[in-house]
Amino acid sequence: MKRAAEAPATAPDTPAAAISASDFPIVGIGASAGGLEALEQFLSHVPPASGLAHVVVQHLDPNHKGIMVELLQRATTLPVRQVTDRLTVEPNHVYVIPPNRDLSILHGVLHLLEPEAPRGLRLPIDFFLRALAADRQERAIGVILSGMGSDGTLGLRAIKENAGAVFVQDPASAKFDGMPRSAIDAGLADVVAPAEELAERIVAYLNHVPLLSPPESVPLSDKEHSGLEKVVLILRAQTGHDFSLYKKSTLYRRIERRMGLHQLPKLADYVRYLRENSQEAALLFKELLIGVTSFFRDPESWEQLKNEAIPTLLAAHPKGGLLRAWTTACSTGEEAYSLAIAFREVIDQLQLRDPGAPHYALQVFATDLDPDAIDRARIGAYPANIAADVSETRLRRFFVQEERGYRVSKEVREMVIFAPQNLVMDPPFTKLDLLTCRNLLIYLEPELQKKLFPLFHYSLNPGGVLMLGTSETVGAATDLFAALPGKSRIYRRQGAVREAELVEFPTAFAQNRVPATSAAGAASTRVLAPQLSAASLQAQTEALLLSRFAPAAVLTTAQGDIVFISGKTGKYLEPAAGKINNNLFAMAREGLAGALSAGFSRAVREHSAVTVKDIRVGTNGGTQSVEVTVQPLAEPAALAGMVLVVFADLPAADTPAMETGKRGNGTTSARARAYEAQLAVLAHELQQAHEDLQTTREEMQSSQEELKSTNEELQSTNEELQSTNEELTTSKEEMQSMNEELQTVNHELQAKLDELSRASDDMKNLLNSTNIATLFLDGELRVRRFTTQAAQIIKLIPGDAGRPVTDLATELDYPGLADDTREVLRSLVFQERQVASRDGHWFNVRIMPYRTQANHIDGVVITFIDISAVKQLEAQLRQAQAELERRYADQTMELKQSQADLKEAKARKS
């Protein structure tokens, strides 16, 4: 969210270069109560040639002809038209929804529909903004102005999901802040500003996002690629999360949006801004998470899950029990609660058909990367416009209606456990029966997708269910998951097992380097050679020397496990029969194992190179003299602790061929030489046996000394373990006692909590049943609590808790309310006044100190008793009394006149 004061406003230039004639951005404007003034302020600042189309959606009386077109035309020079069915949208025009119609858009054509919801439950702004997001995608712009309720919030989520922009009127400048505040609280607003500034901010945004996003088929330039890598590195440093395997098009689109909002023309400028502002890194992190979700998104998929997948899982547990589910990327919890509701409905139907059915329960683990979204999900409170996605039956069964929307019932909330988690880096949940991962994989590179499916396979029990989004598939992992019939992306885990793969984000973008190859033969060498650089020539020469002239060698661990082979080692090593074993000594050929083991042990023990010469190794059909060099490695650092074993052939000794068919001295001499050669071989073998025996003795002595030392250490450790075991036993008993005490305290607290909840309900019902408006203020005259009747006298909403009473609008003609309240707090003497309201009603206002049980004054209680009827009776009595007095006076005058006439008559007679 970015407020108007954070960046200077830009002149309302025309983003003509950014807008094509057929694919221009469309601005959807939602307004309700008090929206006319905001609309006039907004449209009066729209440039006449902005290239944008504006569609106004309001809450209108369905039974009266609208005059909104005439009213708005006075505020703007743009043509203003009321929408008719199949009206093609044109730039630089303003379109107004007619009364008693829902408005949608398809391929730039507006369509009017009969409203499905009854009057009072219609959400026309959400309906249109969702259609606009699907039709214009990143070229959709949502604007929310003054209005009550939360209509428009779900539509803005859809716009954000498709990389559109959201502009919201500052609640402080709105006559009714319900709709703007709902959009801001949901974290959807990109810009918050007064209505008269929003038009200029939209134009400035489009001027700095000329392409809005590059096509996925267009590769990024080296400079752009470098800029994206820097952004990913900064995000990883500041948030601890790596987005390097996010799809590049999504990354670029989201970053470009932020550049447009900050009016930064180049990616390098945004990288600099990102490094200097940690708050921007947090906002970009939120932007990349794309926390867009809703209840029962894609209803067909949920119906198949409810009617096919969940009953199959229950059938696999005929004795009942606890099923485990994992909802990844749960955002604000709608999908996790949808899963819990669907499961609860299946159980209700099962128990209705068979009252004796076994007991089933579901534990849903819901995780997300965004801790703020997890906190909102735990609360389980949602705006009233979820009625567009949740049926009335479900609202009554699984939700509790509140003043500002709905809250998920306690029964459903207790089925779901929310926790922040990095799906790729953190350990997964295991032994699951059901796993949902919807609309996450579409934002990840295929390389990461391929690594996640084995992870999901590992997490699920055999026969478990995997549920993906409608745009996602398991790809090549068909050996792990089998699709259920139908179009929904629901899969069942198969029994295939793959070799485990590490799943992690790399630290930078992977670059695929494909080595250049030449299709030409040796004849083209002379043509290619001059084109080779010095470095390339050196590398190829070294590779040739290694392949043809370097000795055979293996790199092993200190235990002899082979990790790398260089050259042809087949004459010295061969795979052992049976289970695969890559140990050097197990693979050594006949005659090599003993000498190799002795030399290897000595080299590791002395940390120096050891060379064993003239080892007779059996080969295919003969023997070969071999020299083995064992070299422990200390550098480079990456190979420290490894051992390099090098094999080299020795030239065979000259052994005269024995001739047959000769007699005499020649034959005797040949036999003597053969006998001497055999003696030399036996002597060499005897010497080698002596050396092996000596080495074995040294190793045995060393081992005996080590065993003695180890035995002493084990005895000492055993004594320590016995002592530790006794301490642990004591601690266990203390923990058991403490656990019992905690359980007792927990039961007491739960009972107190239930009593408090009942007392709160009793108090609420008592206050409402008295039909007396009551207002509770603290010592600073801030609102603490109020009854429903008080909200009709003083303009109060639940969010006003904590606000000073002097800031609130009231219908009473009582300017001295705050002064009288302060006087009561000072003197602790209650005051009572009769006050009139602007609509002609009278109230008896009584102000009393608020006393706690400890007899401490902690504010005041103000009651408003409607005495309008009493006042009317008083007025009637006064009027009747005046009439009686007038008649009495008239009768008195008549009597006096009669007496005077009588006296006069008597006087005449006399």
Side-chain angles (χ1 to χ4, degrees):
M1 182 173 64
K2 178 176 174 63
R3 293 192 175 271
E6 293 181 8
T10 320
D13 298 331
T14 301
I19 303 171
S20 67
S22 60
D23 206 9
F24 51 88
I26 298 178
V27 182
I29 307 172
S32 182
L36 177 58
E37 179 181 351
L39 283 169
E40 291 175 341
Q41 294 172 350
F42 177 88
L43 293 176
S44 63
H45 289 79
V46 175
S50 64
L52 308 175
H54 298 79
V55 181
V56 178
V57 181
Q58 264 200 310
H59 296 160
L60 301 174
D61 188 338
N63 300 322
H64 291 80
K65 181 180 179 181
I67 58 172
M68 185 61 66
V69 174
E70 293 78 5
L71 296 176
L72 295 182
Q73 189 64 77
R74 296 183 304 184
T76 180
T77 58
L78 297 173
V80 182
R81 297 182 56 183
Q82 183 167 286
V83 177
T84 58
D85 195 30
R86 297 186 57 79
L87 178 64
T88 302
V89 179
E90 299 179 9
N92 303 318
H93 282 67
V94 178
Y95 301 92
V96 180
I97 186 174
N100 201 28
R101 288 290 183 273
D102 279 340
L103 182 62
S104 186
I105 184 171
L106 180 64
H107 304 313
V109 178
L110 296 172
H111 297 266
L112 294 178
L113 305 171
E114 290 284 346
E116 294 182 359
R119 184 178 179 183
L121 298 177
R122 297 175 186 173
L123 303 171
I125 302 174
D126 277 330
F127 189 87
F128 176 72
L129 292 183
R130 283 178 165 182
L132 179 64
D135 193 65
R136 273 305 195 259
Q137 296 186 353
E138 69 269 14
R139 292 171 177 80
I141 298 175
V143 176
I144 294 296
L145 302 178
S146 173
M148 294 187 295
S150 58
D151 191 12
T153 302
L154 297 180
L156 295 182
R157 286 185 183 276
I159 288 178
K160 291 281 286 187
E161 181 181 10
N162 289 277
V166 173
F167 296 77
V168 178
Q169 182 180 4
D170 191 341
S173 67
K175 282 191 174 182
F176 296 90
D177 62 357
M179 286 169 48
R181 195 170 296 281
S182 176
I184 295 171
D185 292 345
L188 301 173
D190 292 314
V191 174
V192 178
E196 59 271 16
E197 296 182 14
L198 290 179
E200 296 178 359
R201 301 297 295 274
I202 292 173
V203 174
Y205 162 73
L206 293 174
N207 275 329
H208 289 84
V209 191
L211 296 178
L212 290 174
S213 65
E216 295 194 14
S217 59
V218 178
L220 298 174
S221 65
D222 292 341
K223 184 178 294 186
E224 291 171 336
H225 193 87
S226 175
L228 286 180
E229 285 185 328
K230 289 182 175 65
V231 170
V232 170
L233 289 173
I234 295 172
L235 279 177
R236 188 182 65 183
Q238 297 196 19
T239 68
H241 299 293
D242 196 332
F243 289 89
S244 56
L245 286 182
Y246 230 55
K247 282 190 176 178
K248 307 304 179 294
S249 58
T250 303
L251 267 177
Y252 192 86
R253 190 184 305 123
R254 301 286 165 177
I255 293 171
E256 201 170 39
R257 267 179 31 81
R258 301 302 303 173
M259 292 168 57
L261 292 172
H262 292 294
Q263 302 173 16
L264 299 173
K266 297 181 180 179
L267 186 56
D269 298 332
Y270 183 73
V271 172
R272 189 180 307 109
Y273 181 81
L274 190 63
R275 293 189 63 186
E276 296 171 353
N277 296 271
S278 58
Q279 183 181 6
E280 175 61 21
L283 292 174
L284 179 60
F285 172 70
K286 299 273 189 185
E287 184 94 8
L288 291 173
L289 294 183
I290 316 177
V292 178
T293 183
S294 61
F295 283 98
F296 297 100
R297 190 177 189 181
D298 307 319
E300 297 81 4
S301 299
W302 287 102
E303 285 300 315
Q304 184 176 6
L305 181 74
K306 176 182 171 182
N307 298 329
E308 299 180 20
I310 295 180
T312 304
L313 291 176
L314 298 181
H317 299 76
K319 296 182 180 180
L322 176 67
L323 277 69
R324 292 160 54 91
W326 180 18
T327 298
T328 64
C330 69
S331 188
T332 49
E334 286 92 333
E335 186 169 298
Y337 287 131
S338 298
L339 177 59
I341 290 172
F343 181 83
R344 190 67 257 174
E345 289 176 338
V346 174
I347 296 302
D348 291 345
Q349 294 174 2
L350 178 63
Q351 293 178 347
L352 187 63
R353 292 194 304 265
D354 182 10
H359 175 73
Y360 293 96
L362 177 68
Q363 183 69 72
V364 181
F365 302 97
T367 61
D368 195 87
L369 204 59
D370 185 0
D372 294 336
I374 289 295
D375 291 339
R376 291 198 296 272
R378 287 195 182 107
I379 297 173
Y382 299 96
N385 55 11
I386 64 170
D389 299 315
V390 183
S391 66
E392 186 176 352
T393 303
R394 283 172 171 162
L395 286 176
R396 289 197 305 267
R397 171 71 174 83
F398 301 106
F399 292 84
V400 178
Q401 189 166 9
E402 298 181 340
E403 295 184 11
R404 300 191 65 179
Y406 295 92
R407 184 183 298 273
V408 180
S409 67
K410 184 179 180 181
E411 173 192 10
V412 176
R413 291 206 309 273
E414 289 178 345
M415 296 172 62
V416 185
I417 296 177
F418 291 97
Q421 189 205 38
N422 187 324
L423 175 63
V424 178
M425 304 301 294
D426 295 335
F429 294 94
T430 57
K431 299 181 180 179
L432 302 172
D433 299 285
L434 198 153
L435 192 155
T436 66
C437 182
R438 291 165 54 77
N439 304 306
L440 169 66
L441 301 177
I442 56 176
Y443 300 111
L444 305 179
E445 291 284 5
E447 176 184 352
L448 182 56
Q449 294 183 27
K450 294 178 182 178
K451 293 183 178 181
L452 286 179
F453 286 119
L455 179 72
F456 294 161
H457 186 270
Y458 168 76
S459 298
L460 285 167
N461 289 328
V465 173
L466 172 66
M467 185 180 185
L468 303 180
T470 54
S471 302
E472 300 165 332
T473 65
V474 296
T478 53
D479 57 330
L480 303 180
F481 298 96
L484 296 185
K487 297 181 179 179
S488 300
R489 307 298 187 182
I490 301 178
Y491 301 84
R492 188 173 307 284
R493 181 191 188 273
Q494 299 195 112
V497 178
R498 284 186 179 178
E499 185 178 354
E501 297 182 10
L502 293 177
V503 181
E504 60 180 358
F505 277 125
T507 57
F509 289 105
Q511 296 182 357
N512 297 324
R513 293 189 175 90
V514 180
T517 57
S518 174
S524 62
T525 304
R526 289 175 297 176
V527 179
L528 295 177
Q531 300 176 359
L532 294 175
S533 63
S536 177
L537 183 63
Q538 177 183 352
Q540 294 194 19
T541 303
E542 291 175 349
L544 179 63
L545 291 173
L546 286 173
S547 63
R548 294 193 179 182
F549 303 104
V554 294
L555 182 67
T556 73
T557 64
Q559 292 74 35
D561 295 326
I562 298 174
V563 296
F564 181 76
I565 296 176
S566 174
K568 299 179 179 180
T569 58
K571 292 190 296 183
Y572 321 106
L573 306 175
E574 64 177 353
K579 186 178 179 181
I580 295 176
N581 189 348
N582 64 343
N583 188 269
L584 175 67
F585 312 117
M587 297 178 63
R589 283 185 177 270
E590 181 183 358
L592 180 61
L596 178 59
S597 176
F600 191 94
S601 300
R602 180 181 171 189
V604 171
R605 184 174 62 254
E606 297 177 358
H607 300 287
S608 61
V610 173
T611 301
V612 183
K613 298 183 178 180
D614 201 16
I615 305 174
R616 306 294 292 182
V617 179
T619 61
N620 297 331
T623 59
Q624 170 69 48
S625 295
V626 177
E627 177 183 283
V628 179
T629 301
V630 183
Q631 173 69 61
L633 301 178
E635 57 181 14
L639 300 180
M642 299 286 186
V643 180
L644 183 64
V645 181
V646 182
F647 304 96
D649 292 341
L650 295 178
D654 293 336
T655 303
M658 296 186 63
E659 298 178 2
T660 59
K662 291 188 176 181
R663 300 278 188 263
N665 292 335
T667 302
T668 303
S669 176
R671 289 177 178 176
R673 286 194 295 271
Y675 181 73
E676 291 175 356
Q678 292 177 358
L679 286 178
V681 170
L682 292 174
H684 177 268
E685 292 178 353
L686 181 61
Q687 180 64 29
Q688 184 174 344
H690 280 300
E691 293 176 357
D692 293 344
L693 180 60
Q694 182 63 29
T695 301
T696 302
R697 286 176 177 174
E698 294 175 356
E699 291 178 354
M700 183 178 298
Q701 291 177 356
S702 176
S703 298
Q704 287 178 347
E705 294 174 357
E706 292 176 0
L707 286 173
K708 288 180 181 179
S709 176
T710 302
N711 187 40
E712 295 173 354
E713 292 177 0
L714 286 175
Q715 289 178 351
S716 175
T717 303
N718 186 40
E719 295 174 356
E720 293 176 0
L721 286 175
Q722 288 178 351
S723 176
T724 304
N725 186 38
E726 294 174 357
E727 294 175 359
L728 287 175
T729 303
T730 304
S731 299
K732 180 183 178 182
E733 295 173 355
E734 295 175 354
M735 288 294 293
Q736 287 177 345
S737 176
M738 186 179 298
N739 186 40
E740 293 174 357
E741 294 174 2
L742 287 175
Q743 287 180 352
T744 303
V745 173
N746 185 44
H747 288 314
E748 293 176 356
L749 289 176
Q750 185 64 41
K752 293 289 185 183
L753 183 62
D754 293 339
E755 292 176 3
L756 181 61
S757 178
R758 285 194 297 270
S760 178
D761 292 339
D762 293 343
M763 176 65 71
K764 183 176 180 181
N765 284 279
L766 174 62
L767 292 174
N768 289 333
S769 64
T770 58
N771 201 26
I772 297 176
T774 308
L775 176 64
F776 296 83
L777 304 179
D778 62 11
E780 301 296 329
L781 303 189
R782 291 191 293 264
V783 176
R784 178 181 293 160
R785 181 180 293 188
F786 57 91
T787 62
T788 306
Q789 293 81 1
Q792 300 173 2
I793 301 172
I794 300 176
K795 303 300 183 183
L796 290 167
I797 61 175
D800 288 334
R803 292 183 61 184
V805 71
T806 54
D807 292 353
L808 302 175
T810 176
E811 296 293 330
L812 298 177
D813 187 11
Y814 190 8
L817 175 62
D819 294 334
D820 289 348
T821 304
R822 295 189 185 95
E823 178 61 21
V824 170
L825 284 173
R826 187 190 66 79
S827 64
L828 304 183
V829 178
F830 79 92
Q831 292 195 17
E832 189 170 1
R833 295 182 184 275
Q834 294 183 357
V835 181
S837 65
R838 294 186 178 89
D839 57 359
H841 286 75
W842 281 83
F843 294 89
N844 185 44
V845 181
R846 186 181 181 91
I847 308 175
M848 296 185 64
Y850 183 101
R851 293 182 183 272
T852 64
Q853 291 184 353
N855 200 26
H856 173 69
I857 303 301
D858 189 21
V860 296
V861 181
I862 306 176
T863 58
F864 305 87
I865 302 176
D866 192 348
I867 58 173
S868 301
V870 176
K871 285 292 184 180
Q872 291 177 1
L873 289 174
E874 287 181 358
Q876 293 174 4
L877 287 173
R878 292 193 192 97
Q879 185 177 0
Q881 183 178 3
E883 180 67 18
L884 287 174
E885 290 176 353
R886 184 184 62 78
R887 291 182 180 180
Y888 179 78
D890 292 343
Q891 291 175 358
T892 303
M893 289 294 295
E894 290 175 1
L895 181 57
K896 288 180 179 181
Q897 184 66 36
S898 299
Q899 290 176 351
D901 292 343
L902 183 59
K903 287 180 181 181
E904 185 179 354
K906 288 180 179 181
R908 287 178 182 175
K909 288 180 181 180
S910 62

